[in-house]
């Protein structure tokens, strides 16, 4: 280890020496360059002689290579060289103005350093420019500030440096903490980015759920377990006598009765004691706030990531002006690292090219439009029938299950009918929809959206029917509760009286908590329903994967040796990974979690486990038994589409929870809010008892409808205003686009005129243009070029400026490649669009420098 | 372990500078170094960054193996003076930085343009586009487009993207088109 360190140190020294010498060289070069520039400037007036041209050329190059781009940098550079020489002579005599200028330069250098990675330079060049800039900053940072200010300034700079380093380390640390990077990458290279996008979504979801898990477990469940009353101390924390016989059955794990029902995993277990333990932890309050903040946090996270996605893709994705170009330039997925997938991709790109060509031709014809329309209407009618049917089926089943639940010994099927039916519907309806959708003959990407929308409608319909039926159930329970409440009251009273009547001196033996008659506790019932649905969903998903993917793959693989037809290519073949189905499954599962987490705090724990296992399980299943899609889709913007679905689901799952919290009375004998009229009373209670009087007053003012309604109005107005502003921006953007195009055309016309008036120039252009463009068949040309010395790459070595200066023409294309690319960056960036140069058609044709008629906003050399 | 051994070969200053100059994190740079030195024969691994790796070796990377633009990528990122498209470690880093997740779409599109510019003349003309189509449709004979289709396709592309109507697509036109695409930044990506 020591040796290694020594070595690295030595190397360090070496590199530092290198650096120093390089720096020296660089400075010398700069000075030379400057001189040359001045010379060039002087000679400019004398007319265009050959050596001047050369010099100018080389000088241009150097200028460009060193700062390429914005004018600001150019200025900065000039300043730096001039002040570099003046400052070294006398640093003390700095006037205020100079100081300000220096400061500005230092700032500019710093900016340059921080944006260096955005420049398309070679590493060697980036390194040298970086070092130069850093040296400059180091050298002159100290000169800034006077007297006492100097120390403070130095200190501030030091802290800033430390802060940057810390941030970088933190970033490194963060990237190190991202789990499953390699796993996802492996999937990505086999299946392209679309399948991987599912796993990335899954991982993101896992992160969100971990936070929710932390909130709920840290603030509700753990405090309750540590500080709350233990099991068996209260009726609500005890299994009732009647159920005790079956409370430890194995089936408890499946239907969540028995001990699990009376545990901290469900709402009913919590006590309504205002504070618990020696910490005086306000558990009911915490329970309520956590329930709200679960939604608050989820909303915030989803919206934030949506906004970030929208920011990243500044493009208006529905822009269909560039269908062909996008297909051409952006359809290859560079992540594909597997030859088979690559073959699929080739095929899919080819078909998409062919299709779009055919589409283009067909869009002019528009034949058979009536038949297609008819088929589409028919398909939609069929699908609506399916949706209604499935909704009715679920309603029917839930109703039936309520009668079953009143009966005594019912079988396993009867008890779990709802879950089974819902899972079966979820399993069989999507393929059915897909079959029907074949009638419609949409473009696959549009087809995918329709399919997603329909499955979404199916799931949503099912979920809401389920909820409606559950609400019926809850209302029944509420009615039942009133009766039980009286019974309980009288039982307790009677017990007390009887024991008091028997013997007044002995205190009555307390009634065993298991014997107290209970209300039905609808909150726990709802929680249990949702948990059961979630668990059955998990099981069905896993079994589907196991049977539909793995067993099928095994069958196809091994039975193929002795079968009449080719199983791999023919009928069953291998399964493809169903992205849309999986994403929707995940989204709906999350909706269930959000809905259920208030009434079953333990649900999030189950979900975290589910996501964790499904990450490994699905990765394994995909790699072992799926084949890449025949038509490889890219992830594209659908990411935000998924997020939109998630947001919708979040909102929809918020509704029933908010409704139950705001308008249903909590059960009288279970849960943290028992005894209150409404659950939210807990806030009022806390404010009245725990806060000073004026807070309560402020709160009552704030909660006044007279204040809330104007606030809502204000928000609506703000939204309206912002919307209008964004529309105006969009219009302005479009206008600018149009203007630019017009200018371009204008300039082009101008150029054409000039070209026709100046045949001399044209001739020269033709002379200088190497005839590389007439290089035989494309494929061979490519191969040839790799070996041929003619295929020059834009070489960029440190000393390139001088080399080029020596032979401005000799290096031909290779050397001259660079100017146009630099010229492009040199333009000021406009709104989203970079103006193109209608300059000269062949950039290498002009060692003379820029042609007349180049765009505006450019430095002239 | 092996990782630590190779890690210590990059001086700390330089590592910092690389982080400053690329879109890569420290781990990614170290991983890149490891992968790069694995491409070298054993005896050359000690001084992996003064050595150039020949193109044939670079193309054995699984990340490039299936890529139809592998030759172009090597060509564009190589700084070799002998034009053999071999890569030094710094070239390699340049490449990974451009293809990394956090690189801006500006720089990505710049390099994409140079990759697609098969004859290195600074514009995409019909020949370049034809070659590009051939790369994208693969080697198989049956998957090739017919010449009429090719003609139609290129015509359409030029109509869409060639804003100044000079028959070629230059860098800014290219960037204009590509920056609008929802897929580009997510697919122009290679992860080691």
């Amino acid at each position: 280890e020591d040796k290694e360190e020594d070595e690295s140190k030595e190397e360090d020294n070496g590199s530092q020496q290198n650096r120093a010498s390089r720096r020296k060289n660089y400075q010398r070069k700069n000075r030379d360059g400057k001189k040359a520039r001045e010379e060039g400037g002087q000679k400019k007036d004398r007319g265009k002689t050959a050596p001047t041209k050369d010099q100018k050329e080389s000088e241009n190059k150097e200028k460009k290579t060193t700062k390429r781009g914005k004018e600001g940098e150019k200025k900065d550079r000039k300043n730096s060289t001039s002040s570099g020489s003046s400052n070294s002579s006398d640093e003390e005599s700095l006037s205020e103005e100079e100081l300000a200028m220096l400061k500005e330069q230092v700032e500019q250098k710093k900016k340059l350093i921080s944006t260096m990675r955005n420049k398309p330079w070679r590493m060697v060049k980036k390194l040298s420019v970086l070092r130069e800039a850093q040296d400059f900053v180091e050298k002159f940072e100290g000169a800034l500030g006077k007297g006492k200010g100097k120390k403070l300034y130095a200190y501030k700079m030091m802290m800033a440096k430390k802060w940057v380093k810390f941030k970088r380390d933190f970033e490194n640390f963060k990237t190190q903490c991202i789990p499953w990077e390699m796993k996802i990458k492996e999937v990505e290279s086999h299946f392209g980015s679309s399948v991987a996008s599912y796993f990335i979504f899954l991982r993101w979801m896992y992160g969100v759920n971990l936070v929710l898990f932390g909130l709920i477990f840290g603030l509700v469940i753990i405090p309750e377990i540590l500080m709350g009353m233990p099991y068996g101390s209260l009726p609500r924390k005890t299994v009732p006598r009647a159920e005790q016989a079956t409370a430890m059955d194995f089936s408890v794990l499946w239907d969540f009765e028995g001990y699990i029902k009376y545990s901290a995993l469900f709402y009913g277990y919590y006590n309504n004691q205002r504070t618990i333990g020696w910490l005086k932890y306000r558990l009911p309050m915490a329970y309520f706030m956590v329930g709200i903040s679960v939604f608050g946090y989820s909303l915030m996270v989803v919206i934030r990531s949506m906004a970030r996605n929208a920011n990243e893709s500044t493009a208006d994705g529905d822009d269909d002006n560039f269908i062909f170009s996008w297909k051409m330039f952006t359809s290859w997925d560079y992540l594909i690292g597997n030859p088979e997938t690559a073959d699929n991709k080739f095929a899919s790109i080819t078909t998409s090219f062919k299709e779009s060509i055919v589409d283009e031709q067909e869009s002019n014809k528009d034949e058979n439009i009536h038949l297609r329309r008819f088929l589409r209407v028919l398909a939609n009618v069929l699908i609506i029938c399916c949706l209604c049917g499935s909704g009715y089926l679920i309603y029917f089943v839930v109703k039936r299950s309520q009668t079953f639940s009143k009966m005594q010994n019912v079988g396993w099927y009867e008890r779990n009918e709802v879950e089974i039916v819902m899972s079966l519907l979820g399993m069989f309806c999507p393929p059915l929809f897909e079959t029907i959708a074949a009638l419609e003959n949409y473009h696959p990407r549009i087809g995918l959206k329709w399919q997603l929308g329909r499955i979404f409608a199916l799931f949503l319909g099912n979920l809401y029917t389920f909820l409606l039926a559950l609400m019926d159930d809850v209302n029944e329970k509420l009615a039942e509760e009133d009766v039980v409440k009286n019974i309980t009251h009288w039982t307790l009273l009677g017990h007390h009286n009887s024991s008091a009547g028997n013997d007044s001196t002995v205190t009555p033996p307390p009634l065993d908590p298991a014997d107290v008659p209970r209300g039905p506790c609808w909150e726990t019932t709802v929680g249990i329903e949702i948990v059961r649905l979630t668990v059955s969903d998990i099981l069905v998903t896993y079994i589907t994967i196991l049977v539909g993917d793995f067993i099928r793959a095994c069958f196809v693989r091994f039975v193929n040796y002795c079968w009449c037809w080719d199983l791999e290519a023919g009928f069953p073949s291998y399964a493809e990974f169903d992205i849309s189905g999986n994403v929707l499954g995940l989204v709906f599962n999350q909706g269930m979690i959000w809905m259920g987490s208030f009434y079953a705090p333990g649900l999030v724990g189950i979900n975290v486990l589910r996501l964790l296992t499904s990450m490994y399980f699905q990765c394994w299943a995909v790699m072992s038994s799926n084949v890449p899609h025949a038509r490889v889709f890219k992830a594209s913007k659908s990411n935000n589409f998924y997020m939109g679905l998630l947001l919708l689901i979040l909102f929809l799952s918020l509704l029933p929870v908010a409704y139950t919290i705001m308008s249903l009375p909590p059960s009288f004998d279970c849960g943290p809010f028992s005894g209150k009229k409404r659950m939210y009373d807990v806030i009022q209670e806390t404010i009245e008892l725990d806060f000073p009087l004026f807070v309560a007053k402020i709160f009552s003012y704030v909660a006044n409808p007279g204040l809330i309604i104007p606030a809502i109005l204000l928000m609506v107005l703000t939204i309206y205003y912002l919307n209008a502003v964004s529309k105006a921006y969009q219009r302005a953007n479009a206008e600018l686009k149009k203007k630019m195009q017009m200018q371009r055309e204008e300039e082009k016309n101008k150029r054409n005129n000039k070209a026709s008036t100046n045949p001399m120039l044209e001739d020269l252009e033709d002379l200088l243009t190497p005839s590389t463009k007439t290089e035989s068949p494309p494929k061979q040309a490519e191969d040839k070029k790799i070996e041929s010395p003619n295929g020059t790459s834009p070489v960029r070595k440190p000393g390139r400026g001088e080399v080029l200066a020596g032979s401005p023409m000799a290096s031909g294309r290779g050397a001259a490649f660079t100017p146009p690319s630099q010229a492009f960056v040199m333009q000021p960036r406009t709104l989203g669009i970079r103006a193109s140069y209608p300059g000269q058609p062949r950039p290498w044709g002009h060692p003379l420098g820029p042609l007349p008629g180049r765009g505006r906003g450019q430095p002239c050399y | 372990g092996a990782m630590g051994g190779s890690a210590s070969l990059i001086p700390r200053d330089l590592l910092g500078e690389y982080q400053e100059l690329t879109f890569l994190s420290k781990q990614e740079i170290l991983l890149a170094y490891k992968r790069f030195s694995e491409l070298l024969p054993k005896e050359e691994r000690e001084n992996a960054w003064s050595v150039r790796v020949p193109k044939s070796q670079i193309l054995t990377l699984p990340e490039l193996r299936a890529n139809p633009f592998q030759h172009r990528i090597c060509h564009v990122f190589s700084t070799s003076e002998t034009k053999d498209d071999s890569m030094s470690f710094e070239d390699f880093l340049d490449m990974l930085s451009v293809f990394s997740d956090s690189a801006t779409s500006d720089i990505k599109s710049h390099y994409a343009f140079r990759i697609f510019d098969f004859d290195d003349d600074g514009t995409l003309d019909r020949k370049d586009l034809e070659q590009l189509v051939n790369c994208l449709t693969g080697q198989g004979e049956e998957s090739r487009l017919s010449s009429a289709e090719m003609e139609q396709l290129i015509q359409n592309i030029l109509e869409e993207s060639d804003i100044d109507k000079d028959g070629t697509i230059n860098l800014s036109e290219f960037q204009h088109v590509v920056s609008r695409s929802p897929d580009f930044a997510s697919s122009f990506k290679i992860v080691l």
Side-chain angles (χ1 to χ4, degrees), chain A residues 185 315 325 773 785 813, chain B residues 63 118-119 125 160-161 180:
Chain A
K185 197 224 138 192
S325 308
K773 304 209 73 197
K785 203 141 45 58
R813 273 165 62 204
Chain B
E63 286 78 13
F118 286 88
D119 51 12
D125 48 30
E160 284 171 0
S161 315
R180 246 123 244 287

Side-chain angles (χ1 to χ4, degrees), chain A residues 508-522:
Chain A
L511 186 63
D512 191 279
D515 294 328
V516 178
R518 314 255 178 102
C521 197
W522 60 269

Side-chain angles (χ1 to χ4, degrees), chain A residues 177-197:
Chain A
C177 287
I178 297 174
W180 304 310
E181 199 65 34
M182 290 317 286
K183 248 186 163 36
I184 290 178
K185 197 224 138 192
E186 204 180 334
V187 171
E188 214 161 30
S189 86
H190 274 83
F191 293 88
S193 54
S194 58
V195 173
S197 79

Side-chain angles (χ1 to χ4, degrees), chain A residues 22-66:
Chain A
R22 227 179 285 178
R23 197 186 313 155
K24 250 180 232 160
N25 276 338
Y26 201 73
Q27 279 171 355
R28 201 182 309 139
K29 210 170 71 193
N30 279 344
R31 248 166 244 149
D32 291 349
K34 203 180 141 209
K35 254 182 230 160
R37 219 169 292 152
E38 281 163 8
E39 267 175 29
Q42 286 162 5
K43 282 184 190 169
K44 210 185 264 172
D45 302 334
R46 272 183 242 157
K48 289 181 179 176
T49 50
T52 339
K53 261 185 249 160
D54 287 358
Q55 221 152 26
K56 246 166 81 183
E57 163 85 351
S58 73
E59 167 201 318
N60 276 344
K61 282 256 165 61
E62 210 200 12
K63 252 206 234 165
K64 276 184 219 151
T65 44
T66 43

Side-chain angles (χ1 to χ4, degrees), chain A residues 14 67 103 192 268 315 379 448 519 553 814:
Chain A
K67 45 202 125 103
K103 208 168 192 169
L448 182 71

